[in-house]
């Protein structure tokens, strides 16, 4: 799926050996570097020809009033969008006063690589100037994982065949509001076209200058955001190392700082300039204090030495890969792509440190830097099973949002707490409630992630002191949102109406299956947690009851609602309807929908889409995976075959889930196809929006697809189990899990599964296809495998709907919405039913 002449395969590096200005936005994303708090897009240091010269600080945002065309009570009122922090990446090179500019430069050698073991972006090029001077330029850039607030950039310039004057201009530029010397209007209007996946554009000045100064080779800028009041500062210091004669000059203004080095370069004598940069931001600390913090960060790095920072980066990543790597033996292209995805997860989450993991991490401004349910369902499993501390930090972000979530629930006439659909500061920022606020399942997703983390780690301390607040408050919401019905034949049942599930092409419905199934889990988890606390630690339980004003009868009410939860099922079709009326809609004929009409959300009004059976992303299928212990193998197969042909994959959250379920039910070739679509979603820009930043949730889903899809791992009820589905042309799959402090190294081949244990104090119990095993520290278990599960050919198709009738006897039919120029007239006795064009 990638141009392998331009991007050759390397298991540990992403390499580009041909420069192009046609897709700079995509390559800026692919070669971005970050640590979860600070992110630098992969712009070239020359600072020109950029799609987005982005520097992002997790959580650093501006607010603005949301102007609804028609206002109603409870609509989100204040939007939030991530701010483009001052750009420190600029290190421009001039030879004979001629700038290096890729649009006209004679580049004889070019190579750029993102080294995923060293955590460094490097670039090498040989530039021949118009006068024939050969100039070698080597550049590297690093955002430190160890030092959260530190970035390093280093450039080495050597004129190989002649003496020449060389200038290197190192800059700090406020691109959010100002212009650099090459112009470029900040906040310029976008090209025509609507795309809700992009960030909001602010047209007023965002960053108000505070303290700014220069001291020898050190420069500082600081700002306060106009509306949010957040503050930030950046300090850059420079080291020049050369045997050539040189001088330095400075310039400082409120939106730009320059440190310019002028060198009389001798042939073959290199010039090395290292730039150490520190960023700090706060919700309330004065900018001057942040400048002092930046100073201390830079001082510490300078005193330790530049090489020490690179060494610490390498050591940090060696530990990361030891606990996180997934190896696909014999599949080098997939191996490279897998490691790129895992590296992106580290760059998005490692130093988030109590903040959320944005949908784009810190690699771009897409989705305005907001946090979604992506973290809990797609990213947190990787964190919990590889680096539990990162998962703990992400969950604490939700705990810290509880006060705002309680206010939001009250505003929507519910008890407990309602977490925002999209947010940075904890307040709801989704202006379109039907596909935003109505996705109440976010509550259950957060509780599900909390339970998964506790099951994997045994961290009852977090659960009993903070996590229980999440569990209780989210459970309370379901008891007031839902309602009871009594039927003479079926007895009492509990229903949830007026919600939107994960599928954003079907909104504000009754009894969405995913929501009901996940809410049932949420209710049971909260009841079980409260009861276990009462049994294990009376004092902690007493404080919780007092803190949350918990009625002793509440857990019983939660369990009663969970047991009576309505789970839709259609006996006529033998499947679980996505919601109460989903099957009454007509089927969208995706097989005959023109490719230029995809994704549907960019070409059809929501009301057109909402009238059809068509999915933006897996909905029921996701429920089958997350709550698979509540569905039979027959249920999963029937549901998968029904919904797969209806799923557009317009969301990058979908294909990974479809891959997992396809592997489980037996469509193993299709599973691998969906996996490849997911793993190359950014690397091959399959959704044509990689320029806006990495699809972090899809990257997290890759780990889950490997471990839970092909690796067959499940942890229902806190019990570790495996039912592998190794693709036929993969000789071996290796991955690592951490379970209650034990490192489990797992190797899967066609004929066996080998588990090696290390580091844990307590033996681990697990099962493989129903047979139980126990393994202790230093032990190995080898399990013979009889095949890799069922095998089904091809893929489900719309043809399956021919001659299929609904509950009311009407036939299913498929069509594509079309504009007609005449009014259809049906004669008396006309056939009102139609089949499917096979």
């Amino acid at each position: 799926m990638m141009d392998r002449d331009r991007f050759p395969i390397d298991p540990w590096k992403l390499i580009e050996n041909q420069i192009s200005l046609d897709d700079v936005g995509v390559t800026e994303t692919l070669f971005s570097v970050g640590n979860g708090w600070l992110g630098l897009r992969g712009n070239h240091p020359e600072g020109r020809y950029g799609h987005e010269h982005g520097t992002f600080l997790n959580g650093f945002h501006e607010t603005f009033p949301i102007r609804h065309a028609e206002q109603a009570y409870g609509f989100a009122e204040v939007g939030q969008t991530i701010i483009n922090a001052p750009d420190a990446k600029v290190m421009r090179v001039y030879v004979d006063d001629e700038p290096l500019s890729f649009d006209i430069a004679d580049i004889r050698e070019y190579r750029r690589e993102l080294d995923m073991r060293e955590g460094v972006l490097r670039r090498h090029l040989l530039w021949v100037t118009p006068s024939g001077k050969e100039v070698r330029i080597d550049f590297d850039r690093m955002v430190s994982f160890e030092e959260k607030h530190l970035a390093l950039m280093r450039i080495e310039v050597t004129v190989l065949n002649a003496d020449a004057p060389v200038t290197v201009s190192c800059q700090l530029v406020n691109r959010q509001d100002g212009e650099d010397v090459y112009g470029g209007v900040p906040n310029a209007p976008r090209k025509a076209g609507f795309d809700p996946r992009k960030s909001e554009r602010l047209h007023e000045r965002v960053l108000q200058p505070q303290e700014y100064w220069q001291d020898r080779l050190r420069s500082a800028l600081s700002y306060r955001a106009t509306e949010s009041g957040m503050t930030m500062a950046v300090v850059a210091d420079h080291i020049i190392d050369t045997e050539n004669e040189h001088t330095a000059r400075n310039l400082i203004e409120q939106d730009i700082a320059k440190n310019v080095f002028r060198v009389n370069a001798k042939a073959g004598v290199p010039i090395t300039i290292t730039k150490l940069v520190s960023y700090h931001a706060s919700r309330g600390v004065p900018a001057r204090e942040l400048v002092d913090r930046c100073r201390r960060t830079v001082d510490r790095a300078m005193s330790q030495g530049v090489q020490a920072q690179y060494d610490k980066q390498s050591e940090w990543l060696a530990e990361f890969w030891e606990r996180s790597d997934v190896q696909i033996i014999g599949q080098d292209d997939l191996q490279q792509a897998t490691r790129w995805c895992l590296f992106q997860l580290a760059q998005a989450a490692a130093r988030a440190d109590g903040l959320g993991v944005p949908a784009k991490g810190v690699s771009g401004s897409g989705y305005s830097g907001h946090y979604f349910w992506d973290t809990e369902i797609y990213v947190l499993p990787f964190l919990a099973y590889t680096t539990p501390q990162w998962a703990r930090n992400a969950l604490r972000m939700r705990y810290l949002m509880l006060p705002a979530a309680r206010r939001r629930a009250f505003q929507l006439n519910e008890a407990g707490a309602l977490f925002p659909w999209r947010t940075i500061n904890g307040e709801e920022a989704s202006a379109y409630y039907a596909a935003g606020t109505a996705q109440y399942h976010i509550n259950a997703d957060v509780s599900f992630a909390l339970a998964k983390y506790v099951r994997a780690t045994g961290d009852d301390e977090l659960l009993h002191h903070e996590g229980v607040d999440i569990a209780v408050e989210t459970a309370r919401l379901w008891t007031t949102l839902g309602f009871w019905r009594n039927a003479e034949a079926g007895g009492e049942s509990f229903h949830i109406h007026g919600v939107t599930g994960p599928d954003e092409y079907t909104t504000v419905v009754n009894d969405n299956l995913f929501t009901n199934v996940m809410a049932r889990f949420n209710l049971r988890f909260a009841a079980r947690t409260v009861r276990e606390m009462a049994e294990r630690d009376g004092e902690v339980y007493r404080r919780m009851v007092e803190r949350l004003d918990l009625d002793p009868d509440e857990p019983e009410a939660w369990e009663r609602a969970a047991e009576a939860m309505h789970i839709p099922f259609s006996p006529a079709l033998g499947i679980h309807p996505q919601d109460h009326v989903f099957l009454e809609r007509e089927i969208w004929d995706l097989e005959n929908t023109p490719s230029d009409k995809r994704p549907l959300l960019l070409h059809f009004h929501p009301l057109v889409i909402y009238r059809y059976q068509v999915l933006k992303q897996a909905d029921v299928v996701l429920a089958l995976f997350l709550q698979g212990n509540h569905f039979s193998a027959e249920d999963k197969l029937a549901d998968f075959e029904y919904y797969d042909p209806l799923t557009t994959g317009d969301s990058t959250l979908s294909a990974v889930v479809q891959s997992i379920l396809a592997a489980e039910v037996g469509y193993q070739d299709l599973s691998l196809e969906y996996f490849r679509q997911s793993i190359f979603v950014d690397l091959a820009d399959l959704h044509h929006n990689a320029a806006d930043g990495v699809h972090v949730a899809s990257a997290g889903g890759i780990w889950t697809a490997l471990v839970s899809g092909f690796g067959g791992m499940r942890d229902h009820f806190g019990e570790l189990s495996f039912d592998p589905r190794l693709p036929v042309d993969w000789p071996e799959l290796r991955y690592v899990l951490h379970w209650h402090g034990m490192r489990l190294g797992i190797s899967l081949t066609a004929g066996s599964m080998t588990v090696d244990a290390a580091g844990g104090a307590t033996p681990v119990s697990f099962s493989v296809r129903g047979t139980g095993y126990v393994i202790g520290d230093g032990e190995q278990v080898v399990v013979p495998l009889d095949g890799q599960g069922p095998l089904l050919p091809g893929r489900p198709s719309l043809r399956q709907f021919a001659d299929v009738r609904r509950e009311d006897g009407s036939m299913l039919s498929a069509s594509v919405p079309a504009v007609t120029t005449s009014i259809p007239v049906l004669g008396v006795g006309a056939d009102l039913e139609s089949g499917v064009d096979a």
Side-chain angles (χ1 to χ4, degrees):
M1 294 186 180
M2 300 178 67
D3 178 356
R4 288 306 186 180
D5 290 330
R6 181 181 174 193
F7 299 101
I9 295 172
D10 184 293
W12 285 105
K13 298 176 181 177
L14 178 65
I15 300 170
E16 179 189 42
N17 57 25
Q18 299 171 19
I19 192 168
S20 173
L21 298 180
D22 296 333
D23 59 352
V24 291
V26 175
T27 55
E28 285 168 14
T29 293
L30 300 186
F31 290 97
S32 62
V33 289
N35 62 12
W37 186 77
L38 168 62
L40 308 179
R41 281 177 63 78
N43 308 106
H44 290 287
E46 290 72 34
R48 300 185 69 184
Y49 305 108
H51 171 80
E52 181 178 33
H53 293 279
T55 300
F56 300 106
L57 313 178
N58 190 347
F60 183 56
H61 70 278
E62 180 62 307
T63 58
F64 57 92
I66 297 176
R67 294 179 174 87
H68 299 277
E70 296 186 22
Q71 182 69 46
Y73 176 80
F75 279 15
E77 298 177 352
V78 180
Q80 307 143 39
T81 188
I82 196 166
I83 295 172
N84 193 356
D87 184 6
K89 301 186 295 294
V90 180
M91 301 179 79
R92 292 197 176 107
V93 176
Y94 303 78
V95 176
D96 290 331
D97 295 326
E98 296 290 335
L100 171 60
S101 183
F102 285 131
D103 60 334
I104 58 173
D106 181 2
I107 304 296
R108 302 288 178 85
E109 297 176 7
Y110 175 86
R111 178 183 172 95
R112 177 163 56 161
E113 63 179 40
L114 180 64
D115 190 322
M116 295 177 283
R117 279 191 292 195
E118 300 296 322
V120 178
L121 173 66
R122 300 187 181 93
R123 192 195 70 181
H124 164 81
L125 58 85
L126 179 63
W127 169 37
V128 179
T129 70
S131 64
K133 293 184 173 69
E134 298 177 358
V135 185
R136 184 181 66 214
I137 302 176
D138 290 297
F139 172 81
D140 62 58
R141 178 185 298 153
M142 181 187 84
V143 173
S144 174
F145 284 109
E146 192 73 37
E147 293 283 349
K148 174 180 176 178
H149 300 279
L150 179 68
L152 281 81
M153 302 150 210
R154 182 168 57 188
I155 193 166
E156 182 182 273
V157 182
T158 308
V159 184
L160 299 176
N161 62 345
D163 297 348
V166 173
T167 299
V168 180
S169 178
C170 300
Q171 303 180 17
L172 301 177
V173 184
N174 172 16
R175 296 187 185 274
Q176 178 71 47
D177 302 292
E179 300 180 12
D180 69 4
V181 294
Y182 288 110
V185 180
N187 303 319
R190 286 201 176 90
K191 295 179 181 178
F194 163 76
D195 192 338
R197 300 168 296 185
K198 294 183 179 295
S199 65
E200 289 83 5
R201 183 72 76 187
L202 302 177
H203 299 286
E204 305 298 329
R205 184 174 181 99
V206 173
L207 294 173
Q208 301 296 332
Q210 304 294 295
E211 177 178 320
Y212 56 95
W213 49 258
Q214 286 181 320
D215 180 10
R216 288 173 288 184
L217 300 184
R218 183 171 290 193
S219 299
L221 298 177
S222 64
Y223 299 90
R224 178 183 57 81
T226 303
E227 298 298 333
S228 72
M230 293 193 71
T231 51
M232 66 79 54
V234 54
V235 169
D237 208 343
H238 304 78
I239 302 170
I240 181 168
D241 182 12
T242 183
E243 296 179 2
N244 295 300
E245 178 185 345
H246 63 276
T247 60
R249 295 196 177 188
N250 300 338
L251 178 145
I252 184 73
E253 297 175 0
Q254 65 182 19
D255 287 323
I256 190 168
K258 294 184 180 180
N259 291 88
V260 182
F261 299 91
R262 300 178 177 179
V263 184
N264 295 321
K266 300 296 183 181
V269 180
I271 306 155
T272 302
I273 297 173
T274 304
K275 188 176 188 179
L276 297 90
V277 185
S278 177
Y279 289 86
H280 281 262
S282 172
R283 293 185 184 270
V285 173
R288 176 167 293 181
E289 163 65 16
L290 298 182
V291 171
D292 290 341
R293 295 181 188 180
C294 290
R295 277 173 156 167
R296 291 195 292 271
T297 300
V298 172
D299 288 344
R300 183 167 60 252
M302 295 278 274
S303 66
Q304 293 172 348
V306 171
Q307 188 56 47
Q309 309 309 318
Y310 288 92
D311 293 342
K312 288 194 291 184
Q313 185 86 337
S314 178
E315 293 167 4
W316 190 98
L317 279 163
E319 295 177 0
F320 168 77
W321 289 115
E322 192 277 334
R323 64 180 184 267
S324 309
D325 195 18
V326 179
Q327 299 176 59
I328 309 173
I329 308 303
Q331 302 288 329
D332 289 345
D333 62 332
L334 295 179
Q335 183 66 78
Q336 179 190 41
T338 295
R339 288 192 173 126
W340 185 86
C341 289
L342 300 184
F343 186 67
Q344 297 311 313
L345 294 173
Q347 293 201 134
R351 300 309 307 270
D353 292 1
L355 296 168
V357 179
K360 299 295 185 182
V362 283
S363 67
S365 63
Y367 290 113
S368 302
H370 289 169
Y371 316 139
F372 293 79
W373 68 306
D374 301 28
T375 302
E376 282 75 26
I377 297 301
Y378 291 89
V379 177
L380 194 131
F382 167 76
L383 306 182
Y385 284 112
T386 61
T387 312
Q389 183 61 46
W390 301 354
R392 195 180 204 273
N393 290 341
L395 289 167
R396 292 206 70 248
M397 177 271 293
R398 292 298 188 183
Y399 171 75
L400 296 173
M401 284 186 178
L402 269 176
R406 291 185 179 107
R407 292 193 298 271
R408 184 61 171 162
F410 180 79
Q411 189 177 34
L412 270 70
N413 295 79
E414 307 298 344
L418 175 60
F419 284 105
W421 178 243
R422 56 187 299 174
T423 190
I424 297 177
N425 62 14
E427 303 293 339
E428 179 63 79
S430 176
Y432 185 55
Y433 78 90
T437 298
Q439 297 205 43
Y440 286 81
H441 67 85
I442 179 69
N443 264 24
D445 303 335
V446 173
S447 284
F448 180 82
L450 172 64
K452 179 174 283 290
Y453 165 78
V454 173
R455 284 198 302 258
T457 63
D459 188 356
D460 289 337
E461 193 275 336
L462 174 69
L463 177 62
H464 293 168
H465 289 85
E466 295 179 348
V468 65
D469 294 36
I470 294 174
V472 167
E473 296 287 47
T474 52
R476 282 171 166 167
L477 177 126
W478 298 119
T479 59
T480 57
L481 178 64
F483 64 94
W484 292 89
R485 275 191 178 163
N486 289 288
E488 293 182 5
E492 64 177 10
S493 57
F494 192 76
H495 299 258
I496 298 172
H497 285 186
V499 299
T500 298
D503 170 33
E504 294 173 10
Y505 284 174
T506 312
T507 67
V508 194
V509 298
N510 297 342
D511 286 323
N512 168 254
L513 180 122
F514 179 90
T515 303
N516 285 17
V517 167
M518 293 295 285
R520 180 175 64 183
F521 171 88
N522 191 167
L523 292 162
R524 288 171 172 166
F525 172 65
R528 184 170 63 252
T529 298
V530 167
R531 290 209 167 100
E532 288 178 354
M533 288 179 64
E535 295 170 0
R536 296 180 184 179
D537 193 330
E539 179 58 25
V540 172
Y541 171 77
R542 183 193 63 77
R543 290 200 299 268
M544 180 273 296
V545 169
E546 182 177 327
R547 182 173 69 249
L548 300 178
D549 192 23
L550 181 71
D551 188 302
D553 294 331
E554 282 189 78
E556 182 179 348
W558 300 336
E559 289 180 328
R560 179 173 168 241
E563 291 302 317
M565 186 69 69
H566 176 66
I567 307 299
F569 185 76
S570 167
L573 298 180
I575 65 162
H576 293 89
Q578 186 168 300
D579 59 69
H580 180 65
V581 298
F582 186 82
L583 300 182
E584 297 177 12
R585 301 185 175 99
E586 295 305 304
I587 293 171
W588 191 303
D589 187 353
L590 290 177
E591 294 177 3
N592 292 301
T593 300
S595 60
D596 63 359
K597 296 299 183 183
R598 308 280 288 271
L600 302 186
L601 80 164
L602 300 185
H603 301 281
F604 296 91
H605 190 283
L607 286 176
V608 175
I609 298 174
Y610 297 165
R611 295 185 184 111
Y612 283 81
Q613 293 186 44
V614 64
L615 281 64
K616 183 182 179 185
Q617 62 207 70
D619 194 300
V620 171
V621 169
L622 179 58
L624 299 178
F625 167 54
L626 298 182
Q627 291 290 285
N629 51 311
H630 295 289
F631 298 91
S632 69
E634 293 75 19
D635 287 338
K636 294 177 184 178
L637 178 60
D639 287 344
F640 180 82
E641 290 185 331
Y642 187 89
Y643 288 104
D644 195 67
L646 305 179
T647 306
T648 63
D650 287 349
S651 168
T652 59
L653 302 180
S654 191
V656 288
V657 178
Q658 291 169 275
S659 175
I660 294 168
L661 257 293
E664 181 175 350
V665 301
Y667 285 101
Q668 297 195 15
D669 290 341
L670 180 58
S671 173
L672 193 55
E673 178 183 332
Y674 281 135
F675 177 75
R676 292 185 68 88
Q677 290 177 16
S678 300
I679 203 169
F680 288 108
V681 69
D682 287 317
L683 290 168
D685 193 22
L686 297 183
H687 283 239
H688 310 295
N689 65 345
D692 297 329
V694 173
H695 290 86
V696 173
S698 183
I702 289 301
W703 183 88
T704 305
L706 287 164
V707 171
S708 295
F710 304 130
M713 185 275 286
R714 300 291 187 274
D715 62 353
H716 301 309
F717 296 123
E719 298 173 357
L720 198 57
S721 66
F722 300 88
D723 187 0
R725 297 287 190 270
L726 187 70
V728 66
D729 58 346
W730 289 15
E732 186 178 3
L733 174 67
R734 301 173 188 164
Y735 59 93
V736 176
L737 294 175
H738 293 79
W739 185 265
H740 290 257
M742 182 80 80
R743 181 188 186 278
L744 301 176
I746 296 168
S747 172
L748 178 64
T749 66
S752 67
M753 175 177 171
T754 303
V755 182
D756 291 281
T762 305
V764 170
S765 300
F766 65 95
S767 65
V768 179
R769 296 180 178 171
T771 301
Y773 301 89
V774 178
I775 191 169
D777 182 20
E779 296 178 349
Q780 181 183 84
V781 172
V782 179
V783 181
L785 298 176
D786 182 14
Q788 294 294 324
L791 291 174
L792 298 173
R795 64 188 305 156
S797 167
L798 285 175
R799 296 180 183 87
Q800 68 179 303
F801 299 124
D803 301 322
V804 174
R805 295 181 181 271
R806 301 180 179 88
E807 306 290 333
D808 62 4
S810 61
M811 294 183 64
L812 294 173
S813 62
S815 61
V816 178
V819 177
T820 60
T821 57
S822 62
I823 300 174
V825 178
L826 297 177
V828 177
D831 184 3
L832 301 181
E833 296 179 346
S834 61
V836 178
D837 182 5

